[in-house]
Amino acid sequence: MKAVVLEAPNQFVTKDVPDPVLQEGDILLRVKSCAICGTDIRILEGKKTKGVRFPSTIGHEIAGVIEDVKGNVGPWKKGDAVIVAPVIPCHACRYCLEGRENACQNRQAIGYEFDGGFAELLRIPAIAVRGGHVMELPKNLSFEEGSLIEPLSCCLNGIRKANVGLADSVLIVGAGPIGLMHIQLAKAAGAYQVIVSEPNAMRREMAAKFGADLVVDPTKENLADIVKGRTGGLGVDCLILAIGVPPIVNDLMKLVRKGGTMNLFAGFPDTGSCTIEANVIHYNEINVNGTSASTRLDYLQSRDLAASGKVNVKDLVTHRFGLDEFRAAYELAKAGTGIKIVIQP
Ligand SMILES: [Zn+2]
Ligand SMILES: [Zn+2]
């Protein structure tokens, strides 16, 4: 089969490799769509190395059709259209027991420890099959939409961590694919106004289309004044940082009302070091937290949100490439001129 093989940081090539060999309880998936994630770009660039093997095939936003099964795989059979929740918890550590399986101490993931979806065929290991990671792709969702359930599930986890609820004001910083999902989820959660800050004109346009109540260009407008003006001088109830830029964290914290929540959703480069005025957190009693990956429940619920039409993932896809064009897809994703880019093996 053909696969994108990551040989070292910054070194990847599409080539012929042996088909995956199934073990008892495994499923072989013919990948129909695998979307490129910001994390994939950081891995390919060598900016993220934790859990990454060389050589390996990455890609964790996956939808496809079951090609083959081996032994007992529960209800699944050849020809079923499915999606796959990629984070596989141990079910036994303290975090798993707390229901934070996304933060499992012994977590493995498809696209990291197990080869991922930038390939024609993918082996879904028995541990994932048994754990309920394979889920039916609803008939009204395309494979492309199915591959966007994974990032949506991370955003659903983030919206919960950001405490977005009925009648809240929300500021979302960054209107890439993740920011655009957050806009829709915040509206669905009952926010009365969603303000979006984004320097890129095309992305601002998308933010408005996906339901933002106010879109701000922080390079030309004063975001702080606008946020204060729209919230009676208080600041927003919830702030979601959907771009990983450490130096802006401190100023953004000041746009959260007393007792509000700031969620650092996007991963930062390196350690993410930056200087913060800790008294802003102290005196304003704000909650600052983070989000990493998602649980199987987040994934299942995100699928249902997309299938019911509550969240539009379809219009997020701006570009499609084959496996042979992976390098071009990567360059486009890095340039940020598209929104969501999918590989169609
Ligand atoms: Zn992802
Ligand atoms: Zn665990």
Side-chain angles (χ1 to χ4, degrees):
M1 67 158 180
K2 234 187 264 173
V4 177
V5 179
L6 177 62
E7 285 160 348
N10 268 309
Q11 228 178 293
F12 51 92
V13 60
T14 303
K15 64 178 185 184
D16 279 313
V17 298
D19 288 359
V21 178
L22 296 190
Q23 292 160 27
E24 180 68 25
D26 289 353
I27 286 175
L28 187 67
L29 189 75
R30 183 158 291 278
V31 181
K32 293 288 188 183
S33 178
C34 187
I36 299 183
C37 174
T39 310
D40 294 328
I41 299 299
R42 290 192 292 133
I43 291 171
L44 294 167
E45 288 176 323
K47 288 183 181 164
K48 179 184 165 79
T49 50
K50 189 167 170 267
V52 181
R53 292 169 298 120
F54 303 103
S56 73
T57 293
I58 64 168
H60 58 269
E61 303 183 352
I62 302 158
V65 173
I66 294 178
E67 175 88 5
D68 196 9
V69 302
K70 184 159 182 185
N72 181 7
V73 293
W76 304 113
K77 58 183 192 310
K78 184 176 159 78
D80 287 346
V82 298
I83 51 178
V84 189
V87 177
I88 305 166
C90 75
H91 303 285
C93 74
R94 177 65 194 236
Y95 295 128
C96 281
L97 297 182
E98 284 178 6
R100 291 177 186 265
E101 63 182 43
N102 57 305
C104 169
Q105 282 180 293
N106 313 303
R107 69 169 244 188
Q108 297 178 284
I110 294 173
Y112 295 84
E113 287 81 3
F114 298 101
D115 275 340
F118 297 133
E120 288 178 304
L121 296 169
L122 169 82
R123 179 177 81 91
I124 305 173
I127 182 179
V129 177
R130 278 198 312 273
H133 294 259
V134 180
M135 298 184 200
E136 186 188 347
L137 176 67
K139 295 246 176 323
N140 63 334
L141 291 182
S142 63
F143 289 110
E144 199 169 280
E145 291 168 277
S147 62
L148 267 59
I149 299 304
E150 194 280 335
L152 184 62
S153 71
C154 300
C155 293
L156 183 58
N157 181 17
I159 279 285
R160 287 174 169 142
K161 298 274 152 61
N163 280 319
V164 179
L166 192 61
D168 280 341
S169 55
V170 180
L171 172 61
I172 295 169
V173 179
I178 291 297
L180 296 172
M181 287 181 180
H182 277 304
I183 293 169
Q184 300 183 68
L185 289 171
K187 294 296 255 189
Y192 82 90
Q193 71 169 340
V194 176
I195 303 167
V196 175
S197 172
E198 167 61 58
N200 176 308
M202 182 271 287
R203 291 182 170 206
R204 281 200 304 278
E205 212 170 284
M206 293 286 272
K209 183 180 147 192
F210 280 100
D213 297 288
L214 182 69
V215 184
V216 179
D217 177 357
T219 63
K220 295 208 173 73
E221 299 169 275
N222 188 319
L223 179 64
D225 286 351
I226 291 169
V227 167
K228 293 282 162 73
R230 296 276 297 214
T231 55
L234 299 180
V236 291
D237 296 291
C238 317
L239 189 157
I240 297 167
L241 184 54
I243 45 168
V245 182
I248 64 177
V249 172
N250 190 55
D251 283 343
L252 290 173
M253 274 188 342
K254 297 172 186 171
L255 305 185
V256 179
R257 62 169 289 161
K258 292 184 179 182
T261 303
M262 176 171 185
N263 182 259
L264 306 182
F265 184 89
F268 297 99
D270 304 317
T271 62
S273 282
C274 63
T275 302
I276 59 166
E277 295 161 60
N279 268 338
V280 176
I281 300 173
H282 171 76
Y283 284 115
N284 294 347
E285 299 188 334
I286 65 173
N287 305 298
V288 180
N289 59 24
T291 304
S292 174
S294 61
T295 66
R296 288 165 296 166
L297 182 63
D298 294 325
Y299 191 89
L300 182 69
Q301 292 178 328
S302 295
R303 181 196 69 173
D304 295 345
L305 282 169
S308 67
K310 273 275 178 196
V311 175
N312 173 356
V313 287
K314 188 175 177 206
D315 295 336
L316 292 169
V317 179
T318 53
H319 298 82
R320 297 156 185 88
F321 292 89
L323 278 176
D324 286 328
E325 306 159 307
F326 190 81
R327 169 80 51 184
Y330 164 77
E331 296 295 347
L332 184 76
K334 249 179 33 168
T337 45
I339 296 290
K340 202 68 185 170
I341 298 159
V342 300
I343 302 297
Q344 301 175 322

